[in-house]
Amino acid sequence: MPEIASAGRDGFIDLPKELEDDLIEIGSTLPAWSAEGAFLAGSTVEWCRAKLNSAPRFVEIRERLLSLLSGAAGGYAVVRLRNIAQVLGVGDRFLRLTTALLAEVAIPFQPFQRWPLWKEIGTNLDANPGLSTGTGYNAFHMDLVNATQPPDYTTLLCVRPDPLGAGASILSDARAAVSRLTPSSRALLADKAYSYGSFFDLSDVGEEYKPFPVLDGEPADLGFVRFTAKMLSQSGLDEAHAHAARELADQMVAGQVSCTLQRGDVLVVNQHRVVHGREPLGDGQRDIAPEDRRLLLQLFLRGAGTTGQLAS
């Protein structure tokens, strides 16, 4: 495995004690959310927004989060809610509060019809090690790469870190990686030559996109670098297009950073700019009780103007 730089502290958001106290109180009063189809209901968003804005220090944290997620910054942020999780636990009260916070970025939604708003990503020792639920290296990717309208943001909430201290999240600026490629490689990546994954039981992510280009030619705030390392194993990919994708993968690895999420940490990734993955979990997972193994929860966010659901 390549050497990985630790994510700079500029990407982390630590809350002031005063705000933590306010959010603990707010988290104890938020009602169960309601949904409109796959999306968090607008009425729930507005109610939560009013509660959050009653906290004097909240606006500055919201502005910092939005700034970090913008294209001009790193494109990701880790919001540390560890102290709040210590008080509220990581059950319904904590999830309602976290959902309310993320609704300040964009509208929470769940494109997978068979899952609740927060989708579990546990540790399955029998799964393919490279999958999100596996124990091995989960290579760089964006979520729902084969949808015409992927989620604008993907978020990961750490309920339990790997007890063995491994499984760091890895991140890379996909657009910076593209900028380091030759013009000929970029031209190949703009071809509709790539495919990966199945497409079923999904909503509000458009249609299946197959084959798709890695580079769609759209502005950075609208388009995506449609990349998943797993597409390299797809049959039918000619050597020229495979080579260009491998070059991009190498550049992503060269620019990657890592962060090991702890209980209560929330990683937010702007999919228009950043790809993510995971380092292997620690050896000896079979010696850990299933209820103690690494557990994340995933939530997707949709920005303004893509599906008619507006984040004001």
Side-chain angles (χ1 to χ4, degrees):
M1 288 296 164
E3 183 177 349
I4 304 174
S6 295
R9 287 193 58 82
D10 287 346
F12 291 84
I13 299 179
D14 291 292
L15 306 186
K17 179 65 165 58
E18 174 188 356
L19 181 56
E20 286 180 334
D21 291 341
D22 287 340
L23 293 180
I24 288 168
E25 182 176 347
I26 290 170
S28 299
T29 64
L30 290 176
W33 58 67
S34 58
E36 295 171 352
F39 288 82
L40 190 69
S43 57
T44 297
V45 172
E46 292 306 317
W47 199 94
C48 291
R49 180 165 294 159
K51 293 291 289 184
L52 291 174
N53 285 333
S54 69
R57 301 288 302 274
F58 175 69
V59 172
E60 65 187 77
I61 294 299
R62 178 181 63 200
E63 293 307 311
R64 174 158 169 72
L65 174 58
L66 294 175
S67 175
L68 286 173
L69 294 174
S70 72
Y76 72 91
V78 177
V79 185
R80 285 175 162 163
L81 303 178
R82 303 172 184 181
N83 294 334
I84 297 174
Q86 184 68 26
V87 176
L88 295 182
V90 287
D92 288 345
R93 293 186 300 169
F94 185 78
L95 290 183
R96 290 169 189 167
L97 176 63
T98 305
T99 304
L101 293 171
L102 293 172
E104 294 296 301
V105 174
I107 303 298
F109 81 114
Q110 180 50 264
F112 294 97
Q113 297 176 6
R114 62 192 183 278
W115 298 107
L117 189 63
W118 286 94
K119 174 180 176 287
E120 283 195 3
I121 300 179
T123 301
N124 182 351
L125 304 189
D126 298 321
N128 181 323
L131 295 179
S132 60
T133 56
T135 61
Y137 176 71
N138 183 216
F140 280 123
H141 63 280
M142 64 166 287
D143 289 326
L144 289 160
V145 65
N146 61 333
T148 55
Q149 294 180 344
D152 296 297
Y153 303 89
T154 185
T155 73
L156 294 169
L157 163 63
C158 182
V159 175
R160 288 191 305 270
D162 179 9
L164 299 175
S169 295
I170 52 175
L171 304 153
S172 188
D173 185 331
R175 295 193 178 274
V178 168
S179 73
R180 296 191 290 269
L181 297 176
T182 63
S184 59
S185 290
R186 291 198 294 269
L188 287 164
L189 293 171
D191 292 339
K192 292 182 179 178
Y194 301 90
S195 60
Y196 174 75
S198 56
F199 193 91
F200 63 94
D201 278 347
L202 294 169
S203 61
D204 296 285
V205 290
E207 306 297 328
E208 182 174 15
Y209 202 0
K210 181 180 180 180
F212 54 80
V214 174
L215 306 180
D216 56 21
E218 295 289 336
D221 59 337
L222 296 176
F224 298 90
V225 178
R226 291 179 179 272
F227 181 86
T228 172
K230 296 181 180 69
M231 69 190 183
L232 292 170
S233 62
Q234 291 284 327
S235 59
L237 192 61
D238 65 79
E239 180 52 36
H241 288 93
H243 180 73
R246 285 194 294 268
E247 283 190 334
L248 178 55
D250 289 343
Q251 289 298 328
M252 289 174 172
V253 170
Q256 71 188 19
V257 297
S258 73
C259 57
T260 302
L261 302 177
Q262 301 299 320
R263 185 174 184 264
D265 285 347
V266 183
L267 170 63
V268 189
V269 177
N270 180 346
Q271 290 220 113
H272 295 278
R273 181 151 201 113
V274 172
V275 288
H276 65 285
R278 183 201 64 233
E279 283 294 291
L281 302 185
D283 292 336
Q285 293 294 317
R286 293 195 182 277
D287 298 327
I288 302 171
E291 64 272 16
D292 294 330
R293 293 174 188 149
R294 184 176 187 262
L295 174 63
L296 304 181
L297 298 179
Q298 184 174 46
L299 177 71
F300 299 99
L301 304 175
R302 170 71 70 209
T306 2
T307 65
Q309 298 285 338
L310 301 180
S312 57

